[in-house]
Amino acid sequence: MSDGLTDSLIPYDEIVQEALRAVVGRVLGSVAEAGGLPGEHHFYITFKTQAPGVDIPKRLIERFPDEMTIVMQNRYWDLVVDEERFSIGLSFNQVPSKLVIPYSAITGFQDPAVSFELRFQAQEGPDDGPGGHDAAENDGPTVTPVEDGSNVVSVDFKRKK
């Protein structure tokens, strides 16, 4: 019996990442159907600003050339969700903006109200994973997330070379 693991011909890591991104879509879809966030729920959504399919104002790309986090809490509008992406209206420095974000661009989703978090690998390259990002700057109250590790799901697959 061999000590080394063989490379899988089934892309399990990609399948799991896709399934977890579908969780984000399902949650956002239920918020859109309900017409708002229930209770104290609110979301921090981190995404790659230059990933394929991302459509955000040029001023935001200039300010956040790699990754940014948006806060979805009290001040948002026109949330539209489909199977591959969502769009939302948010205000940045009192300037209304429409953002279109495919789920494949998302690197993090957090609901601090219930200490729930998902982390994803960036889909730019096999060795790229979630990294640091600038703080969310869309208008809204500042919330300090609970960092006790409860209800946190972290997915970080690395491929063997």
Side-chain angles (χ1 to χ4, degrees), residues 40-53:
E40 298 297 314
H41 291 276
H42 56 287
F43 308 136
Y44 295 145
I45 302 171
T46 304
F47 64 98
K48 292 291 190 178
T49 56
Q50 300 206 33

Side-chain angles (χ1 to χ4, degrees), residues 147-161:
E147 300 276 341
D148 65 357
S150 60
N151 293 328
V152 173
V153 177
S154 180
V155 180
D156 187 18
F157 294 100
K158 297 287 183 184
R159 294 182 188 212
K160 284 188 162 187
K161 299 255 180 186

